[in-house]
Amino acid sequence: MDIALVGIGKIAVDQHVPSLKGSSDWDLAATVSRSGTVEGVEAFTSFDEMLEARPEIRVVSLCLPPVPRFDYAAKALAAGRHVMLEKPPGATLAECIALEEMARDKGLSIYATWHSREADKVAPAKAWLADKTLKSLHVTWREDVRRWHPGQDWIFEAGGLGVFDPGINALSIVTEILPDPIHLQSATLSFPENRQAPIAADLAFFHPGGARVTCDFDFRQEGEQTWSMEARCEEGTLLLTNGGGNMYIDGEEQGEHHSGLDGEYPRLYAKMAELVRSGGIDMDLRPLRHAADAFLLGRRSVVEPFEF
Amino acid sequence: MDIALVGIGKIAVDQHVPSLKGSSDWDLAATVSRSGTVEGVEAFTSFDEMLEARPEIRVVSLCLPPVPRFDYAAKALAAGRHVMLEKPPGATLAECIALEEMARDKGLSIYATWHSREADKVAPAKAWLADKTLKSLHVTWREDVRRWHPGQDWIFEAGGLGVFDPGINALSIVTEILPDPIHLQSATLSFPENRQAPIAADLAFFHPGGARVTCDFDFRQEGEQTWSMEARCEEGTLLLTNGGGNMYIDGEEQGEHHSGLDGEYPRLYAKMAELVRSGGIDMDLRPLRHAADAFLLGRRSVVEPFEF
C-alpha cells in the first residue's frame, strides 16, 4: 500500500523511513514537510497539494508535534484517508475523541500509536504479570532532554508535555502490562521558572489490589540514562529495562538482549497495515488520559530555569 | 426509595436536603458526615458503619469534595449500592472511568450529575440551537470566590479545580446545548502565586463549523456576578443568563424569569430515580475532560497571591 509521511523531522528519519523501507506492506510514496525530504520520494511542502495530487495514496502517517496534529488528521480523514498518529495522538483528549468519531463516521482506520508498547519485552512482561499478585510497580524514566530533544523548544511550550513526552511512553507500557486499571492519586510536577511544561514529575497511582504504583520522570538526567520499571509481585520480581527492550525475572535475563527501539516502528506499521485491511480503529487514550490527570491533579513546584 | 447523603456541607444543606424532602421518589434515610447532621435523620460519622447498619438503603448520594470522592464511591459500589455523584464526578478522569466499569460489572446505576444542565432554560436553548448556524459562543462566568466558597481552601489546592469548580458548570451547559463537538485549542490559566489551582482562565475552542467558542472564567469578580453565555448565530442571538435560568432571543426574554438554581437539584434526583428504576448509567465526562485538557494544554500565568 502507498503511504505518505507528514513531518520529516528526527523521529521520521530515524524510525519511520527505515521501517517503511524495510516493510513488505508499505511503499513510501510521498512526504510532506517544510524542509525535510527523503531521497527518491516525491516531496510536498503543502499537505493540501499532496492530498489533491496523489489520490491513490490512501494512508497518511503523521509525525508532527502534537499541537498542529489535529488539523492534519482532520483534513486527511475529510479527504478519505486512513490515519496513523505518532504519540501522543493529540494535544487534547477531546480532539482525539473527535478524530475517532470522524473516522468511524467515514469508515476509515485511525491508529493512535504508542511505540514503546511494541518494545521487545512488553508482550512477555504482560504475559508474566497476568497471573501474579502485584505488590509494587516503580517506574524510573530519567533522560537528558538536551541529548534526546536538542533545541526542541516546543517540548517546553504549553501543550508540549515536557517530561511527559518520554514519560507517556512509560505510561503506555504500564497501562499495557498491568491487568488492573489504575488512576492517579497524587502527583508533583516540577516546572522550570521560565517554561510552560514540567521538567520532572513524581506520580503515585491507586491500584485496586492495594499495590504501590509510582513513577519518577526526570528530563535532567546526565550520565547514565534510565528507562526501566520494576514490578514486585508475591511470586517474584520483574524488571524491564532499556524502555522495555530487556526483561529480568528475579535478576535473570529473559530472552534475547536488545538495545534501543529495535522492532518498535516496524511492528507499528505492521499493525497499521492490519487495521487498514480489517477496517479497524485503535485509539487507546489511556496514556494521554493519565498525563492529563497529572496536569489536572498534580501539585506544581517551581524549579530553576532551563535553557538548552 | 431510601437514600443516604454523604458529606453534609453547604451544597448538601442548601440543595440536596430540600430537594430530597420535596421529592416523592426519595426518603432521606441516613446522613454521613464528620460534623453535619439533618434534623430527624439518622446521622453516621463513619461511611462503613452506615453501609453495614442500613443494608436497606440501596442508593447513596455523594457531595464531598472531588479528591476523597473515589474511595466513597468505590466502597458504595462494592457494597452493592447505586451511586449519585456531585460535580465534578472525581479528581481524575481515570477514576471516573474505573467507577463506571465497576458499576457496569455489578449491574448498578451511577450518575455523574451536572446540576447546571438542569437549569430552567438549558433544554430550550439546546432546542433553539439545534438547527441554527453558530458564528460564535462566548461564556462569561465571573463570580466572587469569597462570597460563594468562603474559606474553602480545598478549592485552591491541587485537584481542587480553582475557577474550574464553577467553570465546569458552564462547560456542562456548553457541551449540552451545542450540537457539534468542540475541543480546546488554546488556554491561559492564571495561578495565584501562593495557590495550586487557577483563579481565572481564558479558553478558546475549535468548532467544526469554524465558529469562535470562548470562555472567560474569573473568581475575582466583585459587585455584579455573571454566569452567562451568548451564542451568535446567522439566524439570531441567544443569550443565557443567571447560570442558564433565563433566556433571551435577540434581546427578548423567553419563558418565565427564574432566579438561581431553582429546580436543578429536584430534576437531578428525579433523573437518578429514573436511572435506578431502569438500571441505567449516566457518566458523561465531557465537562471534566475539557477541564483536564485546559490544565494539559493551557499556558500558566502567575498572578498576585490570594487570601480569603
Side-chain angles (χ1 to χ4, degrees), chain A residues 70 93-94 183 196 293 300, chain B residues 70 93-94 183 196 293 300:
Chain A
F70 174 82
L93 291 161
H183 66 258
Q196 285 288 338
D293 281 343
R300 277 144 238 287
Chain B
F70 173 84
L93 290 161
H183 65 259
Q196 285 289 336
D293 281 343
R300 276 145 239 288

Side-chain angles (χ1 to χ4, degrees), chain A residues 51-92:
Chain A
L51 290 172
E52 182 141 344
R54 302 292 302 273
E56 81 287 2
I57 304 178
R58 308 307 305 159
V59 184
V60 302
S61 175
L62 302 180
C63 23
L64 311 143
V67 170
R69 205 172 291 154
F70 174 82
D71 288 340
Y72 284 79
K75 264 187 193 172
L77 293 169
R81 307 316 213 271
H82 306 286
V83 172
M84 175 163 156
L85 299 162
E86 244 301 352
K87 49 85 16 179
T92 61

Side-chain angles (χ1 to χ4, degrees), chain B residues 58-69:
Chain B
R58 308 307 304 157
V59 184
V60 302
S61 177
L62 302 180
C63 25
L64 311 142
V67 170
R69 204 172 292 154

